[in-house]
Amino acid sequence: MPKPGPLSLNAATVRERWGLPGCIEGCARHGIPGISPWRDMLHDMGVARAARRIRDAGLAVTGLCRGGMFPAADAAGRRAAVEDNRRAVAEAHELGAACLVMVCGGLPPGSKDLPGARGMVRDGLHALMDEARAAGVTLALEPLHPMTCADRSVLSTLAQALDLCAELGEGAGVAVDVYHVWWDPDLERQMLRARGRIAAFHVCDWLVPTTDLVFDRGMMGDGVIDIPRIRAMAEAAGYGGFVECELLSRRWWKEDPDTVLRVVKERHATAC
Amino acid sequence: MPKPGPLSLNAATVRERWGLPGCIEGCARHGIPGISPWRDMLHDMGVARAARRIRDAGLAVTGLCRGGMFPAADAAGRRAAVEDNRRAVAEAHELGAACLVMVCGGLPPGSKDLPGARGMVRDGLHALMDEARAAGVTLALEPLHPMTCADRSVLSTLAQALDLCAELGEGAGVAVDVYHVWWDPDLERQMLRARGRIAAFHVCDWLVPTTDLVFDRGMMGDGVIDIPRIRAMAEAAGYGGFVECELLSRRWWKEDPDTVLRVVKERHATAC
């Protein structure tokens, strides 16, 4: 099996200890050629300053996290979400990011209307599409694990994301995170269908037991996901880009970030 | 919308306080016409005694929990699983259970081979099918929430369960638990496809936040699942049977079981 594509560090992986400046310097120091910032960290640093520093460090921006979060209880809330997404598109453009990762949002507070929330996601994406295309920013729809359906993403499967892509047309893609899709019995078929649409490939691992629905992701190799198998599916669909480590983990957040980056580099080479 | 079908109590709902005798008496006392025992509780009571007591109380047995757990690290382990399932089929027959609920099992310890584990599930079901048919016991394949894929069920979606049913033929059905399937973007289509196969319909609710992957289910009405919408799908597919409450919840296990049964009855009437 060929070696994995180049490594990118999703900044959330070390966010409890480092701001974005620390992440940029850390990537440069450890020889990690890609980075994916989160917007709050980006705002803390300043977009222009971050763009310059990332460029100076020679890093690729494999994605900006995150747009989305479209569903809201009323029309004003939904308009505000689209406005915020417009700013995110502009920031992704300024950074030269490969994509804007879309975490589409869950049910509005108090709602049980899942088809309604899905409709709001669809409407929000349609409202954003022209602007994203004009800016040359790919919207990477990220199906999130079904356990996040209520509060983070009513977009739960790759099939569903690809159906949306087909509807949205050029400029829409998918972000495939092994953590979110590994369980899917339809994965192999959908990955082939994703040819030309895979804008980002994220890795971490599923721990047994998993003790938290959001912040207990495992380091690659420490869990049960056959990451090389899923990477091979992505490659069979023509993807040859970065492998981005996004590790939301209370356990790893406690570690020294330089240690984390060393382990991430090692596992990228041995477990991906 | 028509009233929900008659209520059944899955014995796990009150298992921390009551054994099976308590559950049977509780159902009789509260006018709950159906019960679904777990095998360990059944063994504690004795199968013949339980069957007699349930019959005397006039209760329907809407299912026996649970068969399955087929994957194992070696052939001996897999044979032992099939043997244990044979005993479960015999017990379901003796109880006159409407079905044997199949929780198919996760990855064998140390394994990352998901297709392999799925193959073991398939092989185990095939090995059991003749015996189940001869005993008149429907094997109700229960797709479990994808968050249980590693350690409880590599059978994750209704589509996958129905594909298996088609292959297994007569005597195979599905157990639909709203907790496990509510997030599925393909649910409506698959529920229609399930016509003639729905052997059990389970309810509880998805809480926000959910703090445990197994034991934090919510009482019907306390979460975000639109239960009547999913029940309507089941009815559109011809299902008119029991609505079984299965609530695995550390919070509700602390309550007095008579209180739990009163709330279950009320929510069955108002939130299902």
PDB file of all heavy atoms in Angstrom, chain A residues 41-64:
ATOM      1  N   MET A  41      -9.727  30.588  16.783  1.00  0.00           N
ATOM      2  CA  MET A  41      -8.275  30.755  16.919  1.00  0.00           C
ATOM      3  C   MET A  41      -7.768  31.751  15.881  1.00  0.00           C
ATOM      4  O   MET A  41      -6.876  32.563  16.149  1.00  0.00           O
ATOM      5  CB  MET A  41      -7.579  29.401  16.739  1.00  0.00           C
ATOM      6  CG  MET A  41      -8.010  28.342  17.761  1.00  0.00           C
ATOM      7  SD  MET A  41      -7.431  26.665  17.326  1.00  0.00           S
ATOM      8  CE  MET A  41      -5.754  26.709  17.997  1.00  0.00           C
ATOM      9  N   LEU A  42      -8.354  31.683  14.703  1.00  0.00           N
ATOM     10  CA  LEU A  42      -7.992  32.589  13.607  1.00  0.00           C
ATOM     11  C   LEU A  42      -8.340  34.030  13.976  1.00  0.00           C
ATOM     12  O   LEU A  42      -7.550  34.957  13.753  1.00  0.00           O
ATOM     13  CB  LEU A  42      -8.756  32.154  12.351  1.00  0.00           C
ATOM     14  CG  LEU A  42      -8.506  32.921  11.064  1.00  0.00           C
ATOM     15  CD1 LEU A  42      -7.074  32.720  10.581  1.00  0.00           C
ATOM     16  CD2 LEU A  42      -9.495  32.488   9.982  1.00  0.00           C
ATOM     17  N   HIS A  43      -9.521  34.230  14.553  1.00  0.00           N
ATOM     18  CA  HIS A  43      -9.940  35.578  14.948  1.00  0.00           C
ATOM     19  C   HIS A  43      -9.038  36.131  16.051  1.00  0.00           C
ATOM     20  O   HIS A  43      -8.702  37.312  16.058  1.00  0.00           O
ATOM     21  CB  HIS A  43     -11.406  35.569  15.398  1.00  0.00           C
ATOM     22  CG  HIS A  43     -12.347  35.181  14.306  1.00  0.00           C
ATOM     23  ND1 HIS A  43     -13.650  34.816  14.524  1.00  0.00           N
ATOM     24  CD2 HIS A  43     -12.170  35.090  12.953  1.00  0.00           C
ATOM     25  CE1 HIS A  43     -14.228  34.503  13.372  1.00  0.00           C
ATOM     26  NE2 HIS A  43     -13.361  34.651  12.408  1.00  0.00           N
ATOM     27  N   ASP A  44      -8.654  35.255  16.973  1.00  0.00           N
ATOM     28  CA  ASP A  44      -7.753  35.701  18.046  1.00  0.00           C
ATOM     29  C   ASP A  44      -6.420  36.221  17.478  1.00  0.00           C
ATOM     30  O   ASP A  44      -5.846  37.176  17.986  1.00  0.00           O
ATOM     31  CB  ASP A  44      -7.448  34.543  19.020  1.00  0.00           C
ATOM     32  CG  ASP A  44      -8.640  34.243  19.928  1.00  0.00           C
ATOM     33  OD1 ASP A  44      -9.569  35.072  19.983  1.00  0.00           O
ATOM     34  OD2 ASP A  44      -8.640  33.171  20.565  1.00  0.00           O
ATOM     35  N   MET A  45      -5.969  35.575  16.428  1.00  0.00           N
ATOM     36  CA  MET A  45      -4.676  35.960  15.857  1.00  0.00           C
ATOM     37  C   MET A  45      -4.811  37.112  14.870  1.00  0.00           C
ATOM     38  O   MET A  45      -3.879  37.901  14.694  1.00  0.00           O
ATOM     39  CB  MET A  45      -4.058  34.735  15.150  1.00  0.00           C
ATOM     40  CG  MET A  45      -2.645  34.976  14.634  1.00  0.00           C
ATOM     41  SD  MET A  45      -1.921  33.460  13.962  1.00  0.00           S
ATOM     42  CE  MET A  45      -0.265  34.072  13.556  1.00  0.00           C
ATOM     43  N   GLY A  46      -5.969  37.194  14.237  1.00  0.00           N
ATOM     44  CA  GLY A  46      -6.150  38.155  13.137  1.00  0.00           C
ATOM     45  C   GLY A  46      -5.937  37.436  11.812  1.00  0.00           C
ATOM     46  O   GLY A  46      -4.911  36.763  11.640  1.00  0.00           O
ATOM     47  N   VAL A  47      -6.887  37.579  10.901  1.00  0.00           N
ATOM     48  CA  VAL A  47      -6.849  36.781   9.677  1.00  0.00           C
ATOM     49  C   VAL A  47      -5.637  37.126   8.808  1.00  0.00           C
ATOM     50  O   VAL A  47      -4.919  36.238   8.329  1.00  0.00           O
ATOM     51  CB  VAL A  47      -8.154  36.952   8.863  1.00  0.00           C
ATOM     52  CG1 VAL A  47      -8.139  36.031   7.641  1.00  0.00           C
ATOM     53  CG2 VAL A  47      -9.378  36.651   9.733  1.00  0.00           C
ATOM     54  N   ALA A  48      -5.388  38.432   8.619  1.00  0.00           N
ATOM     55  CA  ALA A  48      -4.290  38.839   7.727  1.00  0.00           C
ATOM     56  C   ALA A  48      -2.946  38.367   8.293  1.00  0.00           C
ATOM     57  O   ALA A  48      -2.103  37.835   7.559  1.00  0.00           O
ATOM     58  CB  ALA A  48      -4.289  40.364   7.555  1.00  0.00           C
ATOM     59  N   ARG A  49      -2.797  38.531   9.600  1.00  0.00           N
ATOM     60  CA  ARG A  49      -1.550  38.128  10.241  1.00  0.00           C
ATOM     61  C   ARG A  49      -1.346  36.604  10.133  1.00  0.00           C
ATOM     62  O   ARG A  49      -0.251  36.121   9.828  1.00  0.00           O
ATOM     63  CB  ARG A  49      -1.603  38.559  11.715  1.00  0.00           C
ATOM     64  CG  ARG A  49      -0.279  38.492  12.426  1.00  0.00           C
ATOM     65  CD  ARG A  49      -0.313  39.218  13.769  1.00  0.00           C
ATOM     66  NE  ARG A  49       0.514  38.518  14.729  1.00  0.00           N
ATOM     67  CZ  ARG A  49       0.082  37.907  15.825  1.00  0.00           C
ATOM     68  NH1 ARG A  49      -1.206  37.936  16.158  1.00  0.00           N
ATOM     69  NH2 ARG A  49       0.927  37.279  16.603  1.00  0.00           N
ATOM     70  N   ALA A  50      -2.440  35.881  10.363  1.00  0.00           N
ATOM     71  CA  ALA A  50      -2.363  34.419  10.276  1.00  0.00           C
ATOM     72  C   ALA A  50      -2.011  33.985   8.856  1.00  0.00           C
ATOM     73  O   ALA A  50      -1.152  33.115   8.651  1.00  0.00           O
ATOM     74  CB  ALA A  50      -3.689  33.798  10.710  1.00  0.00           C
ATOM     75  N   ALA A  51      -2.667  34.611   7.880  1.00  0.00           N
ATOM     76  CA  ALA A  51      -2.422  34.231   6.478  1.00  0.00           C
ATOM     77  C   ALA A  51      -0.942  34.441   6.134  1.00  0.00           C
ATOM     78  O   ALA A  51      -0.317  33.573   5.511  1.00  0.00           O
ATOM     79  CB  ALA A  51      -3.307  35.068   5.537  1.00  0.00           C
ATOM     80  N   ARG A  52      -0.412  35.586   6.591  1.00  0.00           N
ATOM     81  CA  ARG A  52       0.989  35.903   6.301  1.00  0.00           C
ATOM     82  C   ARG A  52       1.928  34.899   6.980  1.00  0.00           C
ATOM     83  O   ARG A  52       2.830  34.342   6.364  1.00  0.00           O
ATOM     84  CB  ARG A  52       1.285  37.318   6.781  1.00  0.00           C
ATOM     85  CG  ARG A  52       2.541  37.930   6.183  1.00  0.00           C
ATOM     86  CD  ARG A  52       2.607  39.429   6.473  1.00  0.00           C
ATOM     87  NE  ARG A  52       2.361  39.717   7.889  1.00  0.00           N
ATOM     88  CZ  ARG A  52       1.356  40.475   8.362  1.00  0.00           C
ATOM     89  NH1 ARG A  52       0.474  41.019   7.538  1.00  0.00           N
ATOM     90  NH2 ARG A  52       1.217  40.676   9.653  1.00  0.00           N
ATOM     91  N   ARG A  53       1.663  34.657   8.248  1.00  0.00           N
ATOM     92  CA  ARG A  53       2.540  33.767   9.014  1.00  0.00           C
ATOM     93  C   ARG A  53       2.516  32.329   8.454  1.00  0.00           C
ATOM     94  O   ARG A  53       3.544  31.661   8.372  1.00  0.00           O
ATOM     95  CB  ARG A  53       2.106  33.759  10.474  1.00  0.00           C
ATOM     96  CG  ARG A  53       3.102  33.179  11.440  1.00  0.00           C
ATOM     97  CD  ARG A  53       4.173  34.161  11.901  1.00  0.00           C
ATOM     98  NE  ARG A  53       3.602  35.169  12.788  1.00  0.00           N
ATOM     99  CZ  ARG A  53       3.445  35.021  14.116  1.00  0.00           C
ATOM    100  NH1 ARG A  53       3.854  33.924  14.705  1.00  0.00           N
ATOM    101  NH2 ARG A  53       2.904  35.974  14.851  1.00  0.00           N
ATOM    102  N   ILE A  54       1.338  31.884   8.071  1.00  0.00           N
ATOM    103  CA  ILE A  54       1.207  30.530   7.507  1.00  0.00           C
ATOM    104  C   ILE A  54       1.959  30.451   6.176  1.00  0.00           C
ATOM    105  O   ILE A  54       2.672  29.482   5.903  1.00  0.00           O
ATOM    106  CB  ILE A  54      -0.292  30.156   7.324  1.00  0.00           C
ATOM    107  CG1 ILE A  54      -0.960  29.945   8.695  1.00  0.00           C
ATOM    108  CG2 ILE A  54      -0.438  28.905   6.465  1.00  0.00           C
ATOM    109  CD1 ILE A  54      -2.472  29.796   8.653  1.00  0.00           C
ATOM    110  N   ARG A  55       1.804  31.499   5.382  1.00  0.00           N
ATOM    111  CA  ARG A  55       2.509  31.551   4.089  1.00  0.00           C
ATOM    112  C   ARG A  55       4.020  31.558   4.323  1.00  0.00           C
ATOM    113  O   ARG A  55       4.761  30.797   3.699  1.00  0.00           O
ATOM    114  CB  ARG A  55       2.062  32.789   3.326  1.00  0.00           C
ATOM    115  CG  ARG A  55       2.273  32.708   1.827  1.00  0.00           C
ATOM    116  CD  ARG A  55       1.485  33.805   1.083  1.00  0.00           C
ATOM    117  NE  ARG A  55       1.552  35.086   1.763  1.00  0.00           N
ATOM    118  CZ  ARG A  55       0.474  35.790   2.171  1.00  0.00           C
ATOM    119  NH1 ARG A  55      -0.746  35.315   1.977  1.00  0.00           N
ATOM    120  NH2 ARG A  55       0.618  36.954   2.784  1.00  0.00           N
ATOM    121  N   ASP A  56       4.452  32.407   5.240  1.00  0.00           N
ATOM    122  CA  ASP A  56       5.891  32.490   5.527  1.00  0.00           C
ATOM    123  C   ASP A  56       6.451  31.155   6.010  1.00  0.00           C
ATOM    124  O   ASP A  56       7.620  30.827   5.762  1.00  0.00           O
ATOM    125  CB  ASP A  56       6.170  33.562   6.594  1.00  0.00           C
ATOM    126  CG  ASP A  56       5.941  34.968   6.044  1.00  0.00           C
ATOM    127  OD1 ASP A  56       5.782  35.096   4.803  1.00  0.00           O
ATOM    128  OD2 ASP A  56       5.888  35.926   6.833  1.00  0.00           O
ATOM    129  N   ALA A  57       5.622  30.400   6.735  1.00  0.00           N
ATOM    130  CA  ALA A  57       6.080  29.100   7.244  1.00  0.00           C
ATOM    131  C   ALA A  57       6.017  28.020   6.163  1.00  0.00           C
ATOM    132  O   ALA A  57       6.432  26.878   6.392  1.00  0.00           O
ATOM    133  CB  ALA A  57       5.233  28.686   8.451  1.00  0.00           C
ATOM    134  N   GLY A  58       5.451  28.371   5.014  1.00  0.00           N
ATOM    135  CA  GLY A  58       5.383  27.405   3.908  1.00  0.00           C
ATOM    136  C   GLY A  58       4.343  26.310   4.105  1.00  0.00           C
ATOM    137  O   GLY A  58       4.444  25.228   3.512  1.00  0.00           O
ATOM    138  N   LEU A  59       3.335  26.590   4.937  1.00  0.00           N
ATOM    139  CA  LEU A  59       2.319  25.564   5.209  1.00  0.00           C
ATOM    140  C   LEU A  59       1.151  25.669   4.233  1.00  0.00           C
ATOM    141  O   LEU A  59       0.737  26.775   3.868  1.00  0.00           O
ATOM    142  CB  LEU A  59       1.773  25.726   6.631  1.00  0.00           C
ATOM    143  CG  LEU A  59       2.791  25.688   7.778  1.00  0.00           C
ATOM    144  CD1 LEU A  59       2.082  25.934   9.105  1.00  0.00           C
ATOM    145  CD2 LEU A  59       3.516  24.352   7.787  1.00  0.00           C
ATOM    146  N   ALA A  60       0.612  24.516   3.866  1.00  0.00           N
ATOM    147  CA  ALA A  60      -0.651  24.485   3.131  1.00  0.00           C
ATOM    148  C   ALA A  60      -1.796  24.573   4.139  1.00  0.00           C
ATOM    149  O   ALA A  60      -1.706  24.008   5.229  1.00  0.00           O
ATOM    150  CB  ALA A  60      -0.754  23.182   2.340  1.00  0.00           C
ATOM    151  N   VAL A  61      -2.853  25.285   3.783  1.00  0.00           N
ATOM    152  CA  VAL A  61      -4.047  25.322   4.629  1.00  0.00           C
ATOM    153  C   VAL A  61      -5.044  24.314   4.060  1.00  0.00           C
ATOM    154  O   VAL A  61      -5.646  24.531   3.015  1.00  0.00           O
ATOM    155  CB  VAL A  61      -4.671  26.730   4.693  1.00  0.00           C
ATOM    156  CG1 VAL A  61      -5.909  26.716   5.584  1.00  0.00           C
ATOM    157  CG2 VAL A  61      -3.650  27.733   5.215  1.00  0.00           C
ATOM    158  N   THR A  62      -5.165  23.185   4.753  1.00  0.00           N
ATOM    159  CA  THR A  62      -5.961  22.089   4.188  1.00  0.00           C
ATOM    160  C   THR A  62      -7.450  22.261   4.437  1.00  0.00           C
ATOM    161  O   THR A  62      -8.263  21.515   3.884  1.00  0.00           O
ATOM    162  CB  THR A  62      -5.484  20.736   4.757  1.00  0.00           C
ATOM    163  OG1 THR A  62      -5.573  20.798   6.194  1.00  0.00           O
ATOM    164  CG2 THR A  62      -4.052  20.450   4.352  1.00  0.00           C
ATOM    165  N   GLY A  63      -7.798  23.240   5.243  1.00  0.00           N
ATOM    166  CA  GLY A  63      -9.208  23.513   5.475  1.00  0.00           C
ATOM    167  C   GLY A  63      -9.332  24.595   6.524  1.00  0.00           C
ATOM    168  O   GLY A  63      -8.403  24.837   7.298  1.00  0.00           O
ATOM    169  N   LEU A  64     -10.499  25.249   6.522  1.00  0.00           N
ATOM    170  CA  LEU A  64     -10.817  26.153   7.618  1.00  0.00           C
ATOM    171  C   LEU A  64     -12.028  25.552   8.331  1.00  0.00           C
ATOM    172  O   LEU A  64     -13.032  25.218   7.709  1.00  0.00           O
ATOM    173  CB  LEU A  64     -11.143  27.564   7.105  1.00  0.00           C
ATOM    174  CG  LEU A  64     -11.626  28.555   8.179  1.00  0.00           C
ATOM    175  CD1 LEU A  64     -10.536  28.815   9.235  1.00  0.00           C
ATOM    176  CD2 LEU A  64     -12.048  29.891   7.526  1.00  0.00           C
TER     177      LEU A  64
END
